[in-house]
Amino acid sequence: MPSASSPSEELHAIELLRRVPYGRVATSMRALPCLAVARHVVVEGRVLLRMHTGFGHHQACNGSVVAYGADNFNSGADELWSVQFTGTAEVFEPTNAELELFGSGPLYVDGQLFDPVYMRIEPQFVTVHSLHSTQERQFEHAL
């Protein structure tokens, strides 16, 4: 995986990414920023994504530089982390072995039958951030 990140940071990021099944891909659609949920797996240093075709996010991503991020922020763990992989995305056809790694998909996405499309990101930059807490966390989301 060619990148400006250190090999140890890349390995750590891949290990963290394997702990959660979903993340978000960031791109732009019609000159506006866009985040789309995706299922991910890592194969040979590449981040493979499964998305729903119905929203057209894959068309905006294909051939473009994207950022893919995942985190454990909802885990309740004392050590929170986020990873981000930035690189060029392309639509591809997964092998049977890669399809097995993804597992079964959802039946519906926003009321539509799930129609998968697969993207591959060749990471150029990898970023890992961690937050450590020794205090009890209290959440106040709205008044």
Side-chain angles (χ1 to χ4, degrees), residues 11 17 22-23 31 43 50 62-63 71-72 75 81 86 97 102 104-105 108-110 112 115 122 124 132 134:
L11 291 174
L17 190 63
Y22 286 88
V43 176
R50 180 179 67 197
N62 194 32
D71 59 62
N72 73 337
S75 70
W81 53 263
T86 303
F102 280 107
S104 61
Y108 297 95
V109 176
D110 290 346
Q112 297 179 11
D115 183 16
E122 187 80 43
Q124 299 298 310
H132 300 276
T134 57

PDB file of all heavy atoms in Angstrom, residues 11 17 22-23 31 43 50 62-63 71-72 75 81 86 97 102 104-105 108-110 112 115 122 124 132 134:
ATOM      1  N   LEU A  11      -0.407  -0.498   9.383  1.00  0.00           N
ATOM      2  CA  LEU A  11      -0.804  -1.786   9.951  1.00  0.00           C
ATOM      3  C   LEU A  11      -1.772  -1.600  11.115  1.00  0.00           C
ATOM      4  O   LEU A  11      -2.744  -2.338  11.253  1.00  0.00           O
ATOM      5  CB  LEU A  11       0.431  -2.574  10.394  1.00  0.00           C
ATOM      6  CG  LEU A  11       1.322  -3.079   9.267  1.00  0.00           C
ATOM      7  CD1 LEU A  11       2.591  -3.714   9.839  1.00  0.00           C
ATOM      8  CD2 LEU A  11       0.585  -4.057   8.374  1.00  0.00           C
ATOM      9  N   LEU A  17      -9.497  -1.030  11.613  1.00  0.00           N
ATOM     10  CA  LEU A  17     -10.586  -1.083  10.646  1.00  0.00           C
ATOM     11  C   LEU A  17     -11.265  -2.448  10.652  1.00  0.00           C
ATOM     12  O   LEU A  17     -12.477  -2.550  10.503  1.00  0.00           O
ATOM     13  CB  LEU A  17     -10.063  -0.762   9.244  1.00  0.00           C
ATOM     14  CG  LEU A  17     -11.101  -0.545   8.159  1.00  0.00           C
ATOM     15  CD1 LEU A  17     -11.970   0.668   8.485  1.00  0.00           C
ATOM     16  CD2 LEU A  17     -10.435  -0.373   6.814  1.00  0.00           C
ATOM     17  N   TYR A  22     -18.630  -1.322   9.405  1.00  0.00           N
ATOM     18  CA  TYR A  22     -19.110  -0.232   8.565  1.00  0.00           C
ATOM     19  C   TYR A  22     -18.337   1.052   8.829  1.00  0.00           C
ATOM     20  O   TYR A  22     -17.803   1.263   9.909  1.00  0.00           O
ATOM     21  CB  TYR A  22     -20.599   0.048   8.824  1.00  0.00           C
ATOM     22  CG  TYR A  22     -21.507  -1.000   8.233  1.00  0.00           C
ATOM     23  CD1 TYR A  22     -21.847  -2.128   8.958  1.00  0.00           C
ATOM     24  CD2 TYR A  22     -22.006  -0.862   6.949  1.00  0.00           C
ATOM     25  CE1 TYR A  22     -22.670  -3.107   8.424  1.00  0.00           C
ATOM     26  CE2 TYR A  22     -22.832  -1.833   6.400  1.00  0.00           C
ATOM     27  CZ  TYR A  22     -23.160  -2.946   7.139  1.00  0.00           C
ATOM     28  OH  TYR A  22     -23.966  -3.911   6.607  1.00  0.00           O
ATOM     29  N   GLY A  23     -18.326   1.901   7.811  1.00  0.00           N
ATOM     30  CA  GLY A  23     -17.730   3.222   7.923  1.00  0.00           C
ATOM     31  C   GLY A  23     -18.428   4.152   6.946  1.00  0.00           C
ATOM     32  O   GLY A  23     -19.533   3.870   6.465  1.00  0.00           O
ATOM     33  N   ALA A  31     -20.666  19.110  -6.704  1.00  0.00           N
ATOM     34  CA  ALA A  31     -19.841  20.128  -6.035  1.00  0.00           C
ATOM     35  C   ALA A  31     -20.182  20.316  -4.556  1.00  0.00           C
ATOM     36  O   ALA A  31     -19.753  21.284  -3.949  1.00  0.00           O
ATOM     37  CB  ALA A  31     -19.914  21.461  -6.772  1.00  0.00           C
ATOM     38  N   VAL A  43      -8.314  -6.257   1.937  1.00  0.00           N
ATOM     39  CA  VAL A  43      -7.684  -7.359   1.212  1.00  0.00           C
ATOM     40  C   VAL A  43      -6.402  -6.838   0.575  1.00  0.00           C
ATOM     41  O   VAL A  43      -6.439  -5.887  -0.211  1.00  0.00           O
ATOM     42  CB  VAL A  43      -8.618  -7.938   0.126  1.00  0.00           C
ATOM     43  CG1 VAL A  43      -7.914  -9.021  -0.683  1.00  0.00           C
ATOM     44  CG2 VAL A  43      -9.901  -8.480   0.746  1.00  0.00           C
ATOM     45  N   ARG A  50     -18.654  -2.145  -0.013  1.00  0.00           N
ATOM     46  CA  ARG A  50     -19.933  -2.549  -0.596  1.00  0.00           C
ATOM     47  C   ARG A  50     -20.925  -1.450  -0.257  1.00  0.00           C
ATOM     48  O   ARG A  50     -21.109  -1.105   0.912  1.00  0.00           O
ATOM     49  CB  ARG A  50     -20.397  -3.884  -0.017  1.00  0.00           C
ATOM     50  CG  ARG A  50     -21.741  -4.333  -0.615  1.00  0.00           C
ATOM     51  CD  ARG A  50     -22.176  -5.669  -0.058  1.00  0.00           C
ATOM     52  NE  ARG A  50     -22.490  -5.514   1.365  1.00  0.00           N
ATOM     53  CZ  ARG A  50     -22.583  -6.541   2.212  1.00  0.00           C
ATOM     54  NH1 ARG A  50     -22.382  -7.764   1.809  1.00  0.00           N
ATOM     55  NH2 ARG A  50     -22.878  -6.320   3.478  1.00  0.00           N
ATOM     56  N   ASN A  62     -16.272   6.856  -8.220  1.00  0.00           N
ATOM     57  CA  ASN A  62     -15.496   6.126  -9.214  1.00  0.00           C
ATOM     58  C   ASN A  62     -14.499   7.039  -9.937  1.00  0.00           C
ATOM     59  O   ASN A  62     -14.884   8.016 -10.567  1.00  0.00           O
ATOM     60  CB  ASN A  62     -16.427   5.462 -10.227  1.00  0.00           C
ATOM     61  CG  ASN A  62     -15.714   4.436 -11.070  1.00  0.00           C
ATOM     62  OD1 ASN A  62     -14.780   3.775 -10.621  1.00  0.00           O
ATOM     63  ND2 ASN A  62     -16.153   4.295 -12.309  1.00  0.00           N
ATOM     64  N   GLY A  63     -13.211   6.718  -9.799  1.00  0.00           N
ATOM     65  CA  GLY A  63     -12.147   7.492 -10.441  1.00  0.00           C
ATOM     66  C   GLY A  63     -11.742   8.745  -9.683  1.00  0.00           C
ATOM     67  O   GLY A  63     -10.864   9.476 -10.122  1.00  0.00           O
ATOM     68  N   ASP A  71     -14.794   4.222  12.842  1.00  0.00           N
ATOM     69  CA  ASP A  71     -14.422   4.500  14.228  1.00  0.00           C
ATOM     70  C   ASP A  71     -15.169   3.559  15.163  1.00  0.00           C
ATOM     71  O   ASP A  71     -16.026   2.802  14.730  1.00  0.00           O
ATOM     72  CB  ASP A  71     -14.730   5.961  14.591  1.00  0.00           C
ATOM     73  CG  ASP A  71     -16.199   6.311  14.414  1.00  0.00           C
ATOM     74  OD1 ASP A  71     -17.054   5.706  15.102  1.00  0.00           O
ATOM     75  OD2 ASP A  71     -16.508   7.182  13.585  1.00  0.00           O
ATOM     76  N   ASN A  72     -14.828   3.637  16.431  1.00  0.00           N
ATOM     77  CA  ASN A  72     -15.543   2.864  17.460  1.00  0.00           C
ATOM     78  C   ASN A  72     -16.234   3.800  18.453  1.00  0.00           C
ATOM     79  O   ASN A  72     -16.411   3.457  19.605  1.00  0.00           O
ATOM     80  CB  ASN A  72     -14.590   1.911  18.186  1.00  0.00           C
ATOM     81  CG  ASN A  72     -13.650   2.623  19.137  1.00  0.00           C
ATOM     82  OD1 ASN A  72     -13.383   3.819  18.991  1.00  0.00           O
ATOM     83  ND2 ASN A  72     -13.128   1.908  20.114  1.00  0.00           N
ATOM     84  N   SER A  75     -18.931   2.529  20.860  1.00  0.00           N
ATOM     85  CA  SER A  75     -18.637   1.275  21.549  1.00  0.00           C
ATOM     86  C   SER A  75     -18.683   1.384  23.070  1.00  0.00           C
ATOM     87  O   SER A  75     -18.789   0.382  23.753  1.00  0.00           O
ATOM     88  CB  SER A  75     -17.249   0.769  21.142  1.00  0.00           C
ATOM     89  OG  SER A  75     -16.241   1.605  21.698  1.00  0.00           O
ATOM     90  N   TRP A  81     -11.169   5.462  18.912  1.00  0.00           N
ATOM     91  CA  TRP A  81     -10.255   5.663  17.793  1.00  0.00           C
ATOM     92  C   TRP A  81     -11.036   5.933  16.511  1.00  0.00           C
ATOM     93  O   TRP A  81     -12.214   5.605  16.402  1.00  0.00           O
ATOM     94  CB  TRP A  81      -9.338   4.447  17.593  1.00  0.00           C
ATOM     95  CG  TRP A  81     -10.065   3.139  17.469  1.00  0.00           C
ATOM     96  CD1 TRP A  81     -10.279   2.229  18.461  1.00  0.00           C
ATOM     97  CD2 TRP A  81     -10.704   2.615  16.293  1.00  0.00           C
ATOM     98  NE1 TRP A  81     -11.008   1.173  17.973  1.00  0.00           N
ATOM     99  CE2 TRP A  81     -11.272   1.370  16.648  1.00  0.00           C
ATOM    100  CE3 TRP A  81     -10.841   3.067  14.994  1.00  0.00           C
ATOM    101  CZ2 TRP A  81     -11.973   0.593  15.735  1.00  0.00           C
ATOM    102  CZ3 TRP A  81     -11.546   2.286  14.084  1.00  0.00           C
ATOM    103  CH2 TRP A  81     -12.091   1.064  14.450  1.00  0.00           C
ATOM    104  N   THR A  86      -7.242   7.624   2.591  1.00  0.00           N
ATOM    105  CA  THR A  86      -7.496   8.516   1.471  1.00  0.00           C
ATOM    106  C   THR A  86      -6.798   7.963   0.241  1.00  0.00           C
ATOM    107  O   THR A  86      -5.623   7.595   0.296  1.00  0.00           O
ATOM    108  CB  THR A  86      -6.967   9.931   1.773  1.00  0.00           C
ATOM    109  OG1 THR A  86      -7.574  10.401   2.983  1.00  0.00           O
ATOM    110  CG2 THR A  86      -7.297  10.897   0.645  1.00  0.00           C
ATOM    111  N   ALA A  97     -14.251 -15.191  -3.110  1.00  0.00           N
ATOM    112  CA  ALA A  97     -13.637 -15.121  -1.776  1.00  0.00           C
ATOM    113  C   ALA A  97     -13.879 -13.752  -1.140  1.00  0.00           C
ATOM    114  O   ALA A  97     -14.157 -13.663   0.061  1.00  0.00           O
ATOM    115  CB  ALA A  97     -12.146 -15.413  -1.863  1.00  0.00           C
ATOM    116  N   PHE A 102     -17.413 -10.133   2.806  1.00  0.00           N
ATOM    117  CA  PHE A 102     -18.433  -9.126   3.077  1.00  0.00           C
ATOM    118  C   PHE A 102     -19.614  -9.705   3.857  1.00  0.00           C
ATOM    119  O   PHE A 102     -20.258  -9.003   4.617  1.00  0.00           O
ATOM    120  CB  PHE A 102     -18.962  -8.505   1.781  1.00  0.00           C
ATOM    121  CG  PHE A 102     -18.074  -7.451   1.198  1.00  0.00           C
ATOM    122  CD1 PHE A 102     -17.334  -7.709   0.055  1.00  0.00           C
ATOM    123  CD2 PHE A 102     -17.984  -6.200   1.778  1.00  0.00           C
ATOM    124  CE1 PHE A 102     -16.522  -6.740  -0.497  1.00  0.00           C
ATOM    125  CE2 PHE A 102     -17.170  -5.216   1.235  1.00  0.00           C
ATOM    126  CZ  PHE A 102     -16.444  -5.491   0.091  1.00  0.00           C
ATOM    127  N   SER A 104     -23.469 -11.408   4.291  1.00  0.00           N
ATOM    128  CA  SER A 104     -24.757 -11.024   3.713  1.00  0.00           C
ATOM    129  C   SER A 104     -24.989  -9.527   3.914  1.00  0.00           C
ATOM    130  O   SER A 104     -24.527  -8.934   4.875  1.00  0.00           O
ATOM    131  CB  SER A 104     -25.895 -11.829   4.331  1.00  0.00           C
ATOM    132  OG  SER A 104     -25.961 -11.578   5.716  1.00  0.00           O
ATOM    133  N   GLY A 105     -25.714  -8.959   2.996  1.00  0.00           N
ATOM    134  CA  GLY A 105     -26.021  -7.530   3.063  1.00  0.00           C
ATOM    135  C   GLY A 105     -27.403  -7.299   3.641  1.00  0.00           C
ATOM    136  O   GLY A 105     -28.140  -8.250   3.933  1.00  0.00           O
ATOM    137  N   TYR A 108     -33.021  -4.227   2.777  1.00  0.00           N
ATOM    138  CA  TYR A 108     -33.533  -2.960   2.280  1.00  0.00           C
ATOM    139  C   TYR A 108     -32.636  -1.818   2.730  1.00  0.00           C
ATOM    140  O   TYR A 108     -32.038  -1.868   3.797  1.00  0.00           O
ATOM    141  CB  TYR A 108     -34.950  -2.695   2.805  1.00  0.00           C
ATOM    142  CG  TYR A 108     -35.953  -3.712   2.345  1.00  0.00           C
ATOM    143  CD1 TYR A 108     -36.272  -4.805   3.142  1.00  0.00           C
ATOM    144  CD2 TYR A 108     -36.576  -3.583   1.114  1.00  0.00           C
ATOM    145  CE1 TYR A 108     -37.189  -5.752   2.721  1.00  0.00           C
ATOM    146  CE2 TYR A 108     -37.502  -4.525   0.681  1.00  0.00           C
ATOM    147  CZ  TYR A 108     -37.801  -5.605   1.485  1.00  0.00           C
ATOM    148  OH  TYR A 108     -38.692  -6.541   1.070  1.00  0.00           O
ATOM    149  N   VAL A 109     -32.594  -0.791   1.917  1.00  0.00           N
ATOM    150  CA  VAL A 109     -31.920   0.458   2.261  1.00  0.00           C
ATOM    151  C   VAL A 109     -32.927   1.574   2.000  1.00  0.00           C
ATOM    152  O   VAL A 109     -33.346   1.783   0.856  1.00  0.00           O
ATOM    153  CB  VAL A 109     -30.636   0.674   1.422  1.00  0.00           C
ATOM    154  CG1 VAL A 109     -30.027   2.033   1.735  1.00  0.00           C
ATOM    155  CG2 VAL A 109     -29.644  -0.448   1.667  1.00  0.00           C
ATOM    156  N   ASP A 110     -33.342   2.230   3.056  1.00  0.00           N
ATOM    157  CA  ASP A 110     -34.357   3.291   2.965  1.00  0.00           C
ATOM    158  C   ASP A 110     -35.581   2.836   2.171  1.00  0.00           C
ATOM    159  O   ASP A 110     -36.107   3.561   1.328  1.00  0.00           O
ATOM    160  CB  ASP A 110     -33.762   4.561   2.338  1.00  0.00           C
ATOM    161  CG  ASP A 110     -32.780   5.245   3.255  1.00  0.00           C
ATOM    162  OD1 ASP A 110     -32.745   4.918   4.450  1.00  0.00           O
ATOM    163  OD2 ASP A 110     -32.034   6.116   2.770  1.00  0.00           O
ATOM    164  N   GLN A 112     -35.812   0.617  -0.160  1.00  0.00           N
ATOM    165  CA  GLN A 112     -35.500   0.028  -1.465  1.00  0.00           C
ATOM    166  C   GLN A 112     -34.789  -1.296  -1.262  1.00  0.00           C
ATOM    167  O   GLN A 112     -34.031  -1.453  -0.309  1.00  0.00           O
ATOM    168  CB  GLN A 112     -34.562   0.940  -2.267  1.00  0.00           C
ATOM    169  CG  GLN A 112     -35.097   2.276  -2.632  1.00  0.00           C
ATOM    170  CD  GLN A 112     -34.042   3.091  -3.405  1.00  0.00           C
ATOM    171  OE1 GLN A 112     -33.015   2.571  -3.822  1.00  0.00           O
ATOM    172  NE2 GLN A 112     -34.316   4.367  -3.587  1.00  0.00           N
ATOM    173  N   ASP A 115     -29.241  -3.196  -3.516  1.00  0.00           N
ATOM    174  CA  ASP A 115     -28.591  -3.543  -4.777  1.00  0.00           C
ATOM    175  C   ASP A 115     -27.120  -3.169  -4.627  1.00  0.00           C
ATOM    176  O   ASP A 115     -26.771  -1.988  -4.699  1.00  0.00           O
ATOM    177  CB  ASP A 115     -29.240  -2.769  -5.925  1.00  0.00           C
ATOM    178  CG  ASP A 115     -28.667  -3.126  -7.280  1.00  0.00           C
ATOM    179  OD1 ASP A 115     -27.988  -4.170  -7.404  1.00  0.00           O
ATOM    180  OD2 ASP A 115     -28.906  -2.361  -8.225  1.00  0.00           O
ATOM    181  N   GLU A 122      -7.379   2.349  -3.183  1.00  0.00           N
ATOM    182  CA  GLU A 122      -5.938   2.125  -3.059  1.00  0.00           C
ATOM    183  C   GLU A 122      -5.419   3.267  -2.176  1.00  0.00           C
ATOM    184  O   GLU A 122      -5.222   4.385  -2.643  1.00  0.00           O
ATOM    185  CB  GLU A 122      -5.292   2.182  -4.442  1.00  0.00           C
ATOM    186  CG  GLU A 122      -3.850   1.806  -4.476  1.00  0.00           C
ATOM    187  CD  GLU A 122      -3.656   0.299  -4.457  1.00  0.00           C
ATOM    188  OE1 GLU A 122      -4.373  -0.424  -5.150  1.00  0.00           O
ATOM    189  OE2 GLU A 122      -2.750  -0.128  -3.728  1.00  0.00           O
ATOM    190  N   GLN A 124      -3.537   6.087  -0.270  1.00  0.00           N
ATOM    191  CA  GLN A 124      -2.308   6.861  -0.431  1.00  0.00           C
ATOM    192  C   GLN A 124      -1.878   7.482   0.895  1.00  0.00           C
ATOM    193  O   GLN A 124      -0.700   7.685   1.120  1.00  0.00           O
ATOM    194  CB  GLN A 124      -2.513   7.965  -1.477  1.00  0.00           C
ATOM    195  CG  GLN A 124      -2.865   7.429  -2.848  1.00  0.00           C
ATOM    196  CD  GLN A 124      -1.776   6.555  -3.432  1.00  0.00           C
ATOM    197  OE1 GLN A 124      -0.616   6.938  -3.466  1.00  0.00           O
ATOM    198  NE2 GLN A 124      -2.140   5.364  -3.877  1.00  0.00           N
ATOM    199  N   HIS A 132      -8.265   8.966  24.603  1.00  0.00           N
ATOM    200  CA  HIS A 132      -8.229   8.157  25.814  1.00  0.00           C
ATOM    201  C   HIS A 132      -8.968   8.900  26.915  1.00  0.00           C
ATOM    202  O   HIS A 132      -8.762  10.085  27.128  1.00  0.00           O
ATOM    203  CB  HIS A 132      -6.783   7.885  26.241  1.00  0.00           C
ATOM    204  CG  HIS A 132      -6.000   7.161  25.205  1.00  0.00           C
ATOM    205  ND1 HIS A 132      -6.034   5.799  25.068  1.00  0.00           N
ATOM    206  CD2 HIS A 132      -5.189   7.601  24.223  1.00  0.00           C
ATOM    207  CE1 HIS A 132      -5.269   5.428  24.070  1.00  0.00           C
ATOM    208  NE2 HIS A 132      -4.742   6.514  23.539  1.00  0.00           N
ATOM    209  N   THR A 134     -10.199   8.676  31.076  1.00  0.00           N
ATOM    210  CA  THR A 134     -10.187   8.000  32.371  1.00  0.00           C
ATOM    211  C   THR A 134     -11.388   8.439  33.194  1.00  0.00           C
ATOM    212  O   THR A 134     -11.584   7.965  34.294  1.00  0.00           O
ATOM    213  CB  THR A 134      -8.900   8.332  33.156  1.00  0.00           C
ATOM    214  OG1 THR A 134      -8.797   9.752  33.300  1.00  0.00           O
ATOM    215  CG2 THR A 134      -7.691   7.799  32.425  1.00  0.00           C
TER     216      THR A 134
END
